[in-house]
């Protein structure tokens, strides 16, 4: 795989509070811990990685739009916007690269309103319920997908 491949990892609202926020659901790893693990995993594959978090829907849409012709894949945990944002759905549809949706918890084991995802219909794949390993497995999947494209 070429070192030129770049992955954008986006995390949505309230994920900046990981480690403090409901550790029984989300675990004790902080967002910085997850970012460090992702960086280590991406480096193993020769991927460059950009990791961003926002609590603002419009900022996430802009980050996705900026990924057009910039990144070769997107890994996204839309947080609560997963279940509400047509705007994020529409932005992801435009990018034209592999998209992996990730969640620390399994939304299908939680409240009914979390069972609907506006990201899943435009995602290449979904990894959920495995804590911070969800992100690492998404990097594995992205590396595999990009390797097949070479």
């Amino acid at each position: 795989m070429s070192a030129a491949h770049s992955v954008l990892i986006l995390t949505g609202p309230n994920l900046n509070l990981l480690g403090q926020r409901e550790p029984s659901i989300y675990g004790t790893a902080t967002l910085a811990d997850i970012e460090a693990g992702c960086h280590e995993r991406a480096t193993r594959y020769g991927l460059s990685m950009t990791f961003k978090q926002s609590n603002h829907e419009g900022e996430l849409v802009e980050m996705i739009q900026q990924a057009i012709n910039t990144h070769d894949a997107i890994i996204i945990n839309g947080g609560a916007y997963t279940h509400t944002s047509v705007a994020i759905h529409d932005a992801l549809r435009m990018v034209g690269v592999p998209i992996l949706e990730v969640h620390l918890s399994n939304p299908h084991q939680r409240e009914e309103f979390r069972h609907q995802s506006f990201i899943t219909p435009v995602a290449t794949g979904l990894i959920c319920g495995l804590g911070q390993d969800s992100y690492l497995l998404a990097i594995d999947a992205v590396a595999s997908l990009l390797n097949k494209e070479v």
Side-chain angles (χ1 to χ4, degrees):
M1 180 174 359
S2 166
H5 284 304
S6 174
V7 61
L8 173 62
I9 301 176
L10 294 177
T11 65
N14 299 313
L15 293 168
N16 56 309
L17 296 177
L18 288 176
Q20 305 167 41
R21 178 185 177 211
E22 300 177 275
S24 62
I25 295 173
Y26 300 107
T28 57
T30 66
L31 192 59
D33 295 334
I34 291 171
E35 181 177 1
C38 288
H39 180 72
E40 181 181 317
R41 183 67 58 98
T43 299
R44 285 189 208 169
Y45 290 111
L47 295 169
S48 68
M49 181 198 86
T50 302
F51 194 100
K52 296 183 177 185
Q53 187 276 332
S54 179
N55 291 319
H56 305 283
E57 181 180 25
E59 285 182 14
L60 290 165
V61 169
E62 288 176 356
M63 291 175 196
I64 294 164
Q65 290 174 353
Q66 292 166 0
I68 297 171
N69 300 318
T70 304
H71 295 285
D72 300 299
I74 295 175
I75 296 170
I76 183 168
N77 180 343
Y81 291 135
T82 299
H83 318 292
T84 63
S85 183
V86 174
I88 289 173
H89 166 98
D90 288 347
L92 288 168
R93 279 182 73 137
M94 293 185 282
V95 179
V97 299
I99 298 166
L100 273 288
E101 178 183 359
V102 299
H103 298 284
L104 296 164
S105 66
N106 182 343
H108 303 286
Q109 293 178 336
R110 299 186 60 200
E111 304 94 337
E112 177 120 4
F113 70 86
R114 295 185 196 275
H115 298 182
Q116 168 67 37
S117 169
F118 283 92
I119 295 172
T120 301
V122 294
T124 307
L126 166 65
I127 301 171
C128 65
L130 301 172
Q132 65 185 5
D133 286 345
S134 296
Y135 286 88
L136 302 179
L137 292 168
I139 292 170
D140 294 342
V142 162
S144 178
L145 289 166
L146 294 176
N147 194 37
K148 290 177 185 175
E149 290 178 5
V150 174

